[in-house]
Amino acid sequence: MLKLMIIPFFILSCFQATQESQKSNEKDSEQLSNPEFGSLQKSLEVQIGQNVTLSCQSTNGSLPINYTFFRGNQNLWPIITKEDRNPALFNLTVSSASDLGEYKCKVVNGISNSSKYSKSLNFTLLDPVSKPVLSTTTSQVRIGQNVTLSCHSENGSSPINYIFFKGRKTMSSRIPMQGKAAAVLNVIINSPSDLGDYKCKAENNIPNTTKYSNSLNFTLAEEDGPSYPLLIFLVLLFLLVVIATVLLVPFLILPWCKARKLKSAGSSTSFVSTDKATGPENYVTYTEIEYAKSEEMEYANILIRKEEKDRKVNMRADTTVFYSEVIIRDGTQQAEPLHSPE
């Protein structure tokens, strides 16, 4: 009786094991699923020289499964074959910015005729900032001049944050810039204390990588061009010359022009006959004018000659009178007879 009970139990156990084996084979022969792709690092932000581990896993499909990793269209060797459902892992080192391409993985097994690709994954490079350069368009300034400071770091992942300083005093808030764009700050030189020294610092999201620039100082450009006192002196000198010229015209130039005119008009001796101009009709008057000039004065000699004709004896009697008109330089004139013949 006991033997009869054991036989049916054994048969039932074999049947259940066969069913479970069939179910497992059916599951293993299922279509491959799209693999899940990711990184074991919590963040996709990486630095140059950092090691990264990529993970690719397909939960469905008959075993074994072959895993291939890609960066862009480039295969990353070797191909990894998995006999279980554990994910395939691929280690890489970020050596340069070119290692930040689009990553993905592909799965293939021996039953399925098609391959499956994962979604793509991209890393962001955290490049430490290089030492920033602080520059300006001019190093020599004047009081009241507006100057522009420029600060930029040649290397560093974006965004790069810049802050300007004068000595230990902060002159600006944080200025975020993308790429290699420079941060600028306008400064007004109000006094000699504003000449320096200026600095800037650069930092990004990488901890403990803050960099400071060299200091920058301005100098006053007082020696450039004429100074204000010299300019004022030149203007006053010009005004004095103009005033002196205006005052000297009536005292020197006009008398000189008048003398030149008189000399030109009287450059030769002239005779004027004034027949019957005055006196009786038997008088004839002649006038002779001669201009002369000495070192001390200018004068004119005037000769007046009268001839009287005696009708009875047909004789003439001359009466001659000399006058000298003196022209003194101060503008006054005198005239006096020099002599008169009897």
Side-chain angles (χ1 to χ4, degrees):
M1 186 68 180
L2 181 60
K3 292 181 178 179
L4 293 175
M5 293 179 63
I6 293 174
I7 292 174
F9 180 77
F10 177 77
I11 294 174
L12 179 61
S13 297
C14 290
F15 178 75
Q16 290 177 349
T18 301
Q19 286 184 336
E20 289 178 359
S21 177
Q22 289 178 351
K23 289 180 180 179
S24 177
N25 290 335
E26 289 177 358
K27 184 176 181 180
D28 290 342
S29 61
E30 289 178 356
Q31 185 79 14
L32 278 171
S33 61
N34 291 91
E36 298 176 359
F37 183 60
S39 172
L40 297 186
Q41 282 71 27
K42 295 181 180 180
S43 173
L44 295 180
E45 296 179 339
V46 296
Q47 302 180 37
I48 296 297
Q50 181 176 342
N51 294 323
V52 177
T53 301
L54 301 177
S55 173
C56 186
Q57 181 183 22
S58 181
T59 56
N60 294 328
S62 60
L63 300 174
I65 299 176
N66 296 324
Y67 292 87
T68 304
F69 291 84
F70 294 86
R71 182 174 60 231
N73 295 323
Q74 179 185 2
N75 290 8
L76 300 177
W77 299 99
I79 296 175
I80 300 175
T81 301
K82 297 292 294 183
E83 300 286 348
D84 53 33
R85 298 295 175 184
N86 294 326
L89 302 179
F90 186 88
N91 296 318
L92 62 91
T93 300
V94 180
S95 301
S96 64
S98 61
D99 294 332
L100 301 178
E102 179 180 334
Y103 289 87
K104 59 187 175 181
C105 71
K106 179 182 75 170
V107 292
V108 179
N109 62 9
I111 297 176
S112 174
N113 293 326
S114 61
S115 57
K116 298 292 184 179
Y117 287 87
S118 69
K119 294 181 179 181
S120 61
L121 180 149
N122 289 277
F123 291 101
T124 301
L125 179 64
L126 286 179
D127 185 17
V129 294
S130 59
K131 183 177 181 178
V133 176
L134 181 63
S135 61
T136 182
T137 55
T138 179
S139 60
Q140 294 185 338
V141 297
R142 289 188 172 89
I143 298 299
Q145 184 174 345
N146 191 334
V147 294
T148 300
L149 299 177
S150 176
C151 181
H152 89 284
S153 185
E154 186 67 22
N155 298 319
S157 55
S158 299
I160 300 177
N161 299 312
Y162 297 96
I163 299 178
F164 290 87
F165 298 88
K166 186 178 74 174
R168 296 184 178 181
K169 180 181 179 181
T170 303
M171 298 188 64
S172 71
S173 59
R174 182 177 297 177
I175 305 175
M177 302 300 296
Q178 297 292 329
K180 296 183 180 181
V184 296
L185 179 70
N186 293 322
V187 178
I188 299 178
I189 307 300
N190 292 317
S191 65
S193 62
D194 294 329
L195 297 179
D197 68 340
Y198 294 91
K199 288 184 179 181
C200 69
K201 77 173 182 179
E203 59 186 5
N204 56 11
N205 294 331
I206 302 178
N208 303 320
T209 57
T210 301
K211 298 291 193 311
Y212 287 86
S213 70
N214 292 330
S215 60
L216 184 148
N217 292 272
F218 295 101
T219 56
L220 288 177
E222 295 180 352
E223 65 278 3
D224 294 347
S227 61
Y228 288 106
L230 179 58
L231 186 61
I232 294 174
F233 172 78
L234 293 176
V235 172
L236 292 177
L237 182 61
F238 174 77
L239 293 176
L240 288 175
V241 171
V242 172
I243 294 173
T245 303
V246 173
L247 294 177
L248 290 176
V249 165
F251 293 100
L252 294 179
I253 299 177
L254 292 181
W256 180 80
C257 293
K258 183 177 180 181
R260 292 279 296 181
K261 184 176 180 181
L262 292 174
K263 184 176 180 180
S264 176
S267 60
S268 61
T269 303
S270 60
F271 295 91
V272 180
S273 175
T274 55
D275 190 10
K276 296 182 180 179
T278 59
E281 59 181 21
N282 60 341
Y283 282 90
V284 178
T285 302
Y286 296 94
T287 303
E288 178 181 348
I289 303 174
E290 180 183 6
Y291 289 91
K293 181 178 181 181
S294 66
E295 295 182 355
E296 299 179 353
M297 62 185 68
E298 298 176 4
Y299 59 92
N301 293 325
I302 304 173
L303 175 62
I304 301 175
R305 185 175 61 189
K306 295 182 181 181
E307 294 183 0
E308 181 181 359
K309 184 177 180 181
D310 191 346
R311 295 180 181 178
K312 294 180 180 180
V313 296
N314 200 17
M315 295 289 292
R316 291 185 178 180
D318 294 340
T319 302
T320 303
V321 180
F322 290 96
Y323 287 90
S324 177
E325 182 178 359
V326 179
I327 305 173
I328 303 176
R329 295 186 183 276
D330 61 0
T332 61
Q333 297 182 0
Q334 269 188 331
E336 61 181 78
L338 296 177
H339 67 273
S340 177
E342 295 180 355

